[in-house]
Amino acid sequence: MTDLAVPVTTRKDWASDQDVRWCPGCGDYSILAAMQLLLPDLGVRRENTVFVSGIGCAARFPYYMNTYGMHSIHGRAPAIATGLAVSRPDLDIFVVSGDGDALSIGGNHLIHALRRNVNITILLFNNQIYGLTKGQYSPTSEVGKVTKSTPFGSLDTPFNPVSLALGAEASFVARTHDMDRKHMQEMFRRAHEHKGAALVEVYQNCNVFNDGAFDQVTGRATREEMLIPLEHGKPIRFGAEGHKGVVMNDQGQLSIVEVEGVGEDALVIHDERRADPGLAFALSRLALGPHEPTPMGVFRAVERPDYGSQMDAQLLEASSRKGPGDLAALLSSGTTWTV
Amino acid sequence: MTSTTESPSGTGRIVKTVDRVVIRFAGDSGDGMQVTGDRFTNESAIFGNDLSTLPNFPAEIRAPAGTLAGVSAFQVHISDHDILTPGDAPNVLVAMNPAALRANVGDLPAGGSIVLNSDAFDERALEKAGYSSDPRRDGSLSSFKVYEVPMTSLTLEACKPTGAKPRDAERSKNFFALGLLSWLYHRPIDVTIGWIVERYGKSPVVVEANTLAFKAGYHFGETAELFDFSYEIAPAEHEKGTYTNITGNTALAWGLVAAAQLSSVPLFLGSYPITPASDILHELSKHKNFGVRTLQAEDEIAGIGAALGAAFGGALGVTTTSGPGIDLKSETVGLAVSLELPLLIVDIQRGGPSTGLPTKTEQSDLLHVMFGRHGEAPVPVVAAKTPSHCFEAAIEAARIALKYRTPVYLLSDGYLANGSEPWRIPAVEELPKISVDFAPARPEGADGKAEPFRPYERDRETLARSWAVPGTPGLEHRIGGLEKQDVTGEVSYDPENHERMVHLRAAKVAGIAKDIPLVEVDDPEGGARVLLLGWGSTYGAIRAAALRVRAGGRQVAQAHLVHLNPFPANLGEVLTSYERVVVPEANLGQLTKLVRADFLVDARPLTKVQGTPFRVAEIEQAVLEALAELEAPSGGEDS
Ligand code: SF4
C-alpha cells in the first residue's frame, strides 16, 4: 500500500493481547509460535495480513494474531477467503483449518479454492479427530477408530489430505508437523511465497482426544527411520545415514528399499516442479497412515496463473477495450426511444 | 379491445383503432416464442405504446416436442394509455401447434381471435396434444374467430432462395408469425430487421432466412384476404424522456452497478446459477469495465461466503439466488448479522417448497427471509414492485446495507425478473448519492502503539459500527460469529452483554424506519373503508383493481410496501384507520400474518399460488366482497 520499507517487527508485534485458550500441551501452540516467529521475516505488513478460519480448535488461530482476522463458520473459510482474495489482491491471506473443517463440512470449498488457484495459503491442522466437539472420529481418522460416536470402530476410509489436494489440481502441496519448528517455518514460507493456492498439511497432536497419533513419524526417537524428507532435485533417502531410499517400478509404483541393495542411482529424484502430478501423488500414497514411513516436505510446487490475477487482467482488458464504465451509457445501452 | 374506431385503409381493408390489446404467442419450447414475444414487445415499445409482458415457459429446456408440458408462451399487453399489468386474458392467441392451442385456449374469452399454424395440425400432433378430434372441425372453437395460416409451408417457400435445408428453414416460422402480427397491428418492421442482423450476424444464412420469413409473414397479412381488419393502437402519452424496455433482472443488475458507482465501492457478485436469478449473474458478468467482479461459485454457500469475504475487504458484496439458494445461504446471513458487515442477498422468488416450480412466480419467501435464521437475527427487507422498479429497489437495498453495515434482503420474483415494461431512463444526476466512510488509519502514539481499535463502537444515530477494512494501519482486529463484547468486539460469553448485543442489533434494524419514506396511501376521496395493501410484484394488478373499483363508483384505498423490514413508521396508523385490510399476495398470507402480529388489525389475505400473477378481476372481486360484508346488516358476520 505504501512505498515505505516494511517496518522491522518481532514476534510480540504479531501476537494479539488475547489469552491463548487451547488445552495445555496442544500441538497448536507450536504452530502458532512458528507462525508468529516467521512473520517478521516474511516482509509482510500486519495491516495487510489476514487470517480467516472456520470452526474448530484450529479456527481459534486468528484471535491470537495481531492482524486482521475472521473466525467464520464451519467449513466456509476457503469460500470467504476466495471473495476477499479476489477483491483485494494486495492482501496476504491465510486460511487456518482442521481436518473436520476442511475435509468434512468444508470439503467442497477446499477443492474449489485449490482448483481455481486462489492466491491464499491454507494451513490444514490435521489431528485425525474432532477436538472442539470432544472427540468424535474425523475424515482423516484411521478405519476402526473407537470414539464416542464409533464405539464399535469407525467404518469409513479416511482421506489423505495431500492426495486429495493433488487430485483437486493444487499447484502447491506440502506436509509438515508440529514437532519441528524449522521445518514448519520453511513450509509456511514456501507456501506464502507461492503465487496461487498453497496447501500445507500440518500433523498436529491433539493430546486430549488423540494423543500420539503421529508419534511414530514425528517423535524424536523414531523420526529418523519413519520420516522421509523431500528435497527438490535430490534422491529420496531417509534412515540412519540415509540407508533407505525410494524407488519406482515400471508400473510407476513407489517402494522403500535398502540403498545398499540397489545403489543410489536407482533412487527416485524428487521433482516438486514436475508438470505431471503423478510422482507427487505416488509419494502421497507411499504411507497408508502415520504408522509407516511418511514423506514430509513439498510434494508439488508448480506455476499456474492464479485466479485473482486472471480476473484483474480481464477487468483491465475490458476497460481498455470498452473504456471505463459509464453509467449513463449503460442505462441507454438497450433499444431506446424518446418522447 | 375496448374502444374501436374504423377507417378504410389504402388497400381497401378496414383499419380499426383500438385502445389496447393483449396478445399471447404460444408454441413449443423449441419454437422461439420468447424471442417472438420479445421482438413484438420491442416494436411496440419503440412505436410508443405502453406495455407490460408476461413470459411463461416450462422448467424443462426441451420437454418432448408437441406435448402440453413443452408449451412456452409469451403474453404482451400493449395500449395507448398507462397500463399496469400484462392483462387478465388474451384477446389474440397465436398457436404454433395443437398443444399450444390446447394449453392456452381456456384463457381466451369468447369472441377472441386465434391465429394458428394449420400445417402443425396433423393427426399425430393432435394426438400428442391429447385431442381426440380436430378442434378446428369439431366446433369446439366456435366461439372464437379462427385464422388458419399454413405458417410452416409459407416459411419454407419464403426461405427457398437461402438454400437452407427445410429442417433449418422451418425454424424461422416464428419470424413468419411475428411478421404477420406486425402487419396486423401496424408495428414498425425495421426495428426487427435490424435486430435480426445484429443478433444472427455471425450466420448470414440464418439472417437471410429469418428476414425472409418475417417479411413473408408481413406480406401475407397484407395480400391474403384472410383478415378483414388490421388494427392501430396509438402511442401512449408518456412523461417526456428517453425510454427503454427493461426486464426486472436487467434493471436489478443495472441497479447494482449504479449503487456501486454512486457509493464508489467496488461491486463483487458471488453467485451460483439458479432459475430465475441467473440472468443477473449473466448481465453483471458483462460489465467488467465497471470494475465489477463476478464469481460463479461452487455452490450457493460459497457464493454468499465469497460476497461476505469481499465485503470484509471493502466491497459491495452481493449474492443472487432463488428460494432453494436462500435455504443454503441462511447460515452465512446469520454470520453477516453478527459481523455487522454490508451484504446484499437478492432472492428472485419462485414456486416452492423444495424445487417447486422453478420457472413460475410466487411471493412465498417473505417469512423465510424475515425469520429464517437461528437466534435473534434481524435483517432489513426491501421488495421491488415492477420490473423497472428493480433498479431503484437495488439502489435502496444497497444504500441500507452500506449505511447500516447489515445484510439486506432484496426480494423480486419470477414475474418481475422476466417481465418487462418501458422505463424512463433516469439521468445519473437524479440518482441518490450514497456516501460511505471507511474507518481511517490510526496513527501510532508516542509509545509506537496505536490506540486500541474498537470495532464494535457504534455511530450514535445509525447504531452502525465502523467499516474497518484490511490494509488500514492501526485497525487490525478480529471478528467472528461468536458473541462479541459491546464496543471492543472481543469474544464474550457474558449473559448480560449478550442480551445488550441482541437488543442493539434489533434496535439498529428497527431504527432504519426513520430513514425510509412513509407509506403513501391512495384514497382520493378519503372515505374508503377497505384498504388494499400489497408488496412486491402484485403492485400492477392491485393498482389496476383499485382503479376499476373506483370506476365502478365504489371507494377503496390502496397502499404498497417497498420496505418490509422495518415497516414504514406510519404503517400502523394507516392500517388501523381502515375497517378492513385486504392483502393480495402470491402465498398463503405471509404479509397478512406480519401486519396482524405487529398492529392487531383485521387484515385478510387474498391468496393465489398458481405460478401466475393475480388477475385484476380477482382483486376487484375481493374488494367488492369485502365491501359487501362490511355493508351487510350488523351481526351478519357472526351468524
Ligand atoms: S481438544 Fe485437542 S486440538 Fe483442541 S485444543 Fe485441546 S488438545 Fe488442541
Side-chain angles (χ1 to χ4, degrees):
Chain A
M1 297 211 69
T2 69
D3 297 321
L4 298 174
V6 174
V8 177
T9 54
T10 65
R11 174 179 182 177
K12 261 191 19 227
D13 296 302
W14 293 89
S16 76
D17 57 1
Q18 300 293 301
D19 294 334
V20 182
R21 299 200 194 177
W22 288 309
C23 307
C26 174
D28 289 350
Y29 282 94
S30 64
I31 309 175
L32 180 66
M35 182 57 86
Q36 288 175 341
L37 286 161
L38 171 70
L39 281 161
D41 290 343
L42 286 187
V44 295
R45 293 169 173 278
R46 280 193 307 136
E47 67 266 22
N48 288 350
T49 307
V50 187
F51 282 84
V52 182
S53 66
I55 295 291
C57 293
R60 296 300 175 95
F61 201 95
Y63 286 124
Y64 309 136
M65 300 298 303
N66 190 11
T67 63
Y68 284 88
M70 189 196 290
H71 176 222
S72 72
I73 32 183
H74 208 12
R76 316 301 172 210
I80 291 170
T82 294
L84 183 60
V86 165
S87 54
R88 290 293 305 276
D90 56 319
L91 301 176
D92 279 293
I93 302 169
F94 295 84
V95 168
V96 181
S97 189
D99 37 317
D101 191 58
L103 301 176
S104 207
I105 194 164
N108 200 30
H109 308 307
L110 178 76
I111 58 177
H112 287 276
L114 293 174
R115 83 168 164 94
R116 286 196 184 101
N117 209 27
V118 180
N119 196 19
I120 53 178
T121 304
I122 303 169
L123 310 180
L124 195 169
F125 299 4
N126 181 9
N127 55 20
Q128 301 191 340
I129 199 79
Y130 280 82
L132 195 66
T133 51
K134 301 199 171 71
Q136 300 82 9
Y137 79 114
S138 91
T140 54
S141 298
E142 65 280 12
V143 175
K145 182 98 179 160
V146 174
T147 69
K148 278 184 208 153
S149 60
T150 50
F152 301 101
S154 65
L155 302 173
D156 4 355
T157 300
F159 272 135
N160 174 330
V162 171
S163 303
L164 183 86
L166 290 166
E169 305 291 344
S171 57
F172 183 98
V173 187
R175 180 186 286 145
T176 184
H177 65 95
D178 61 4
M179 297 287 286
D180 186 344
R181 176 180 297 163
K182 266 219 158 73
H183 191 261
M184 276 193 281
Q185 290 183 328
E186 183 52 23
M187 293 303 105
F188 296 168
R189 178 199 304 276
R190 288 282 314 275
H192 175 259
E193 278 165 5
H194 179 76
K195 188 100 175 109
L199 180 122
V200 183
E201 179 190 16
V202 187
Y203 280 179
Q204 174 247 325
N205 191 38
C206 169
N207 56 309
V208 173
F209 295 109
N210 202 16
D211 195 22
F214 305 103
D215 269 5
Q216 290 182 61
V217 175
T218 64
R220 283 182 224 288
T222 48
R223 197 186 288 173
E224 195 171 33
E225 298 294 326
M226 289 291 283
L227 189 154
I228 309 174
L230 297 177
E231 286 178 73
H232 179 67
K234 299 215 174 124
I236 303 177
R237 295 184 77 149
F238 65 107
E241 276 148 41
H243 69 99
K244 284 187 193 146
V246 173
V247 293
M248 184 183 278
N249 69 12
D250 52 10
Q251 307 286 311
Q253 283 161 339
L254 300 182
S255 55
I256 292 165
V257 293
E258 288 294 329
V259 179
E260 223 177 45
V262 297
E264 182 163 35
D265 289 352
L267 299 184
V268 173
I269 309 287
H270 184 46
D271 182 3
E272 61 191 34
R273 293 182 209 146
R274 246 169 71 168
D276 156 36
L279 174 62
F281 192 78
L283 281 167
S284 77
R285 312 305 291 177
L286 196 54
L288 287 176
H291 46 87
E292 294 178 3
T294 300
M296 287 276 164
V298 177
F299 286 74
R300 179 170 170 79
V302 295
E303 277 181 39
R304 181 153 77 79
D306 77 283
Y307 189 83
S309 302
Q310 293 183 89
M311 190 182 286
D312 281 348
Q314 282 195 343
L315 260 58
L316 269 177
E317 208 219 302
S319 291
S320 67
R321 207 157 26 97
K322 298 199 215 166
D326 173 348
L327 187 56
L330 172 67
L331 302 187
S332 306
S333 60
T335 313
T336 63
W337 67 97
T338 300
V339 175
Chain B
M1 288 182 276
T2 46
S3 72
T4 60
T5 53
E6 301 178 12
S7 67
S9 76
T11 58
R13 213 82 60 77
I14 306 274
V15 177
K16 284 194 180 191
T17 302
V18 294
D19 68 348
R20 62 186 195 92
V21 67
V22 179
I23 300 171
R24 188 182 292 177
F25 296 92
D28 221 35
S29 54
D31 280 346
M33 289 300 99
Q34 301 303 320
V35 173
T36 311
D38 198 53
R39 287 347 289 163
F40 191 84
T41 303
N42 243 279
E43 291 173 356
S44 303
I46 287 172
F47 183 70
N49 294 128
D50 197 19
L51 60 89
S52 174
T53 67
L54 175 64
N56 189 355
F57 41 84
E60 289 77 16
I61 302 302
R62 286 277 189 277
T67 62
L68 292 185
V71 174
S72 170
F74 188 105
Q75 182 164 311
V76 53
H77 184 183
I78 53 178
S79 87
D80 67 0
H81 58 277
D82 189 19
I83 48 167
L84 295 151
T85 74
D88 281 5
N91 309 110
V92 181
L93 171 64
V94 178
M96 301 302 283
N97 66 11
L101 177 67
R102 184 143 186 256
N104 290 285
V105 74
D107 293 337
L108 200 66
S113 304
I114 299 171
V115 180
L116 55 81
N117 176 13
S118 55
D119 287 332
F121 280 68
D122 58 28
E123 219 165 286
R124 232 180 89 72
L126 287 166
E127 198 181 307
K128 262 198 193 167
Y131 277 119
S132 51
S133 61
D134 189 335
R136 301 173 300 169
R137 314 281 169 253
D138 64 10
S140 61
L141 303 180
S142 59
S143 56
F144 309 113
K145 273 178 280 180
V146 180
Y147 301 97
E148 293 192 43
V149 183
M151 297 190 202
T152 310
S153 42
L154 289 170
T155 301
L156 290 180
E157 188 59 35
C159 292
K160 262 199 185 138
T162 66
K165 288 195 212 89
R167 255 186 73 97
D168 293 335
E170 199 214 312
R171 299 181 53 181
S172 295
K173 65 180 181 296
N174 60 325
F175 282 95
F176 183 95
L178 178 61
L180 181 56
L181 272 286
S182 299
W183 170 80
L184 196 57
Y185 288 96
H186 293 228
R187 305 288 93 183
I189 59 168
D190 43 337
V191 196
T192 296
I193 291 172
W195 180 86
I196 291 173
V197 173
E198 197 181 300
R199 175 73 175 71
Y200 304 103
K202 285 206 187 96
S203 167
V205 181
V206 177
V207 171
E208 208 190 338
N210 285 342
T211 309
L212 287 171
F214 177 69
K215 287 186 175 164
Y218 195 90
H219 295 141
F220 178 82
E222 214 163 40
T223 49
E225 300 278 306
L226 196 58
F227 298 93
D228 301 327
F229 307 101
S230 66
Y231 301 90
E232 258 177 358
I233 299 162
E237 269 190 39
H238 279 119
E239 192 188 335
K240 271 200 179 6
T242 299
Y243 286 76
T244 191
N245 187 49
I246 197 158
T247 65
N249 273 353
T250 305
L252 201 151
W254 290 2
L256 295 174
V257 173
Q261 295 274 303
L262 297 166
S263 60
S264 300
V265 173
L267 181 62
F268 179 94
L269 175 74
S271 183
Y272 188 75
I274 186 169
T275 303
S278 303
D279 280 341
I280 304 173
L281 167 64
H282 304 161
E283 180 65 25
L284 286 176
S285 299
K286 290 188 214 158
H287 303 303
K288 296 204 187 315
N289 60 324
F290 283 84
V292 176
R293 289 177 158 83
T294 57
L295 171 81
Q296 183 178 316
E298 58 270 25
D299 57 27
E300 296 280 0
I301 297 170
I304 188 172
L308 184 60
F312 183 56
L316 172 56
V318 181
T319 190
T320 48
T321 189
S322 185
I326 299 295
D327 295 347
L328 291 163
K329 293 181 197 289
S330 303
E331 180 194 35
T332 311
V333 178
L335 176 63
V337 169
S338 177
L339 296 182
E340 302 195 40
L341 283 171
L343 183 68
L344 209 54
I345 310 106
V346 179
D347 178 6
I348 313 296
Q349 301 164 95
R350 65 189 218 189
S354 191
T355 310
L357 301 171
T359 59
K360 309 289 183 214
T361 196
E362 210 162 276
Q363 294 180 295
S364 45
D365 295 352
L366 176 59
L367 294 182
H368 189 11
V369 302
M370 283 290 295
F371 303 117
R373 291 165 294 285
H374 66 276
E376 294 288 350
V379 175
V381 181
V382 172
K385 59 182 183 179
T386 71
S388 70
H389 182 251
C390 289
F391 179 79
E392 247 173 77
I395 295 175
E396 171 64 356
R399 179 190 74 87
I400 293 173
L402 291 167
K403 181 166 175 182
Y404 293 88
R405 324 273 197 241
T406 174
V408 173
Y409 267 112
L410 172 57
L411 295 177
S412 169
D413 59 34
Y415 166 46
L416 296 182
N418 295 312
S420 67
E421 64 179 352
W423 176 50
R424 192 183 66 79
I425 301 169
V428 171
E429 308 78 64
E430 289 172 29
L431 302 175
K433 286 276 161 299
I434 303 176
S435 74
V436 174
D437 301 316
F438 291 105
R442 296 165 85 87
E444 291 180 355
D447 58 349
K449 291 242 181 292
E451 291 261 296
F453 172 57
R454 299 192 289 208
Y456 277 75
E457 210 155 31
R458 291 169 193 280
D459 179 275
R460 271 201 203 158
E461 182 141 340
T462 61
L463 295 183
R465 72 182 194 91
S466 52
W467 197 359
V469 301
T472 320
L475 302 186
E476 294 83 359
H477 66 285
R478 278 64 56 193
I479 51 176
L482 286 169
E483 185 59 284
K484 284 155 286 284
Q485 180 67 42
D486 188 15
V487 182
T488 67
E490 283 171 13
V491 174
S492 163
Y493 301 112
D494 172 40
E496 274 162 30
N497 174 72
H498 172 59
E499 182 155 55
R500 186 159 61 246
M501 291 299 279
V502 167
H503 282 294
L504 273 170
R505 288 185 287 258
K508 179 174 85 167
V509 171
I512 297 169
K514 290 178 284 190
D515 193 21
I516 60 177
L518 298 177
V519 64
E520 282 178 32
V521 183
D522 181 51
D523 184 2
E525 289 172 52
R529 299 172 73 184
V530 173
L531 171 73
L532 270 174
L533 177 71
W535 69 279
S537 66
T538 48
Y539 174 76
I542 292 178
R543 177 103 192 107
L547 295 178
R548 260 200 228 171
V549 169
R550 288 174 201 156
R554 311 300 307 273
Q555 289 195 41
V556 66
Q558 179 249 326
H560 208 77
L561 294 173
V562 170
H563 295 89
L564 292 144
N565 194 33
F567 284 133
N570 64 334
L571 184 62
E573 198 185 310
V574 164
L575 297 183
T576 46
S577 56
Y578 291 91
E579 287 167 67
R580 179 71 60 82
V581 178
V582 177
V583 189
E585 31 183 351
N587 56 47
L588 295 188
Q590 301 196 3
L591 175 63
T592 312
K593 276 200 178 68
L594 293 178
V595 295
R596 288 178 78 105
D598 276 18
F599 306 114
L600 285 174
V601 290
D602 187 6
R604 305 198 183 175
L606 169 64
T607 70
K608 180 173 187 181
V609 281
Q610 297 174 10
T612 47
F614 277 98
R615 296 199 167 107
V616 178
E618 291 164 341
I619 299 173
E620 181 189 16
Q621 178 70 18
V623 174
L624 296 178
E625 278 167 20
L627 283 171
E629 256 184 54
L630 292 176
E631 287 155 10
S634 65
E637 259 189 90
D638 303 321
S639 61

